[in-house]
Amino acid sequence: MAFNVFIDTEFTDFLDPQLISIGLITESGEEFYAELPYDIKACSAFVKEAVPLLAELTRSN
């Protein structure tokens, strides 16, 4: 039986990407989310602004 799994990922940068997080959800609503350790200094300005959690961390520091 085939079913769709939707994937969302966040990376530190477009030029030297390191995976920050991955989220998956099935059509039936099953979810998976994981974050990997990463250096916030490796994140581009765009990522720091566009990724909500990083934007919050950047503003608070």
Side-chain angles (χ1 to χ4, degrees):
M1 180 173 118
F3 62 95
N4 291 322
V5 176
F6 302 93
I7 301 172
D8 181 39
T9 57
E10 304 295 346
F11 290 88
T12 55
D13 195 332
F14 293 118
L15 301 176
D16 184 21
Q18 298 171 31
L19 185 63
I20 294 174
S21 64
I22 183 167
L24 298 96
I25 187 165
T26 65
E27 288 180 301
S28 62
E30 296 171 279
E31 299 178 9
F32 173 81
Y33 178 78
E35 286 185 12
L36 287 89
Y38 62 93
D39 183 358
I40 197 164
K41 291 179 239 160
C43 298
S44 69
F46 170 79
V47 171
K48 288 177 184 176
E49 185 177 318
V51 177
L53 175 62
L54 291 180
E56 184 178 317
L57 289 174
T58 302
R59 282 192 296 271
S60 65
N61 289 331

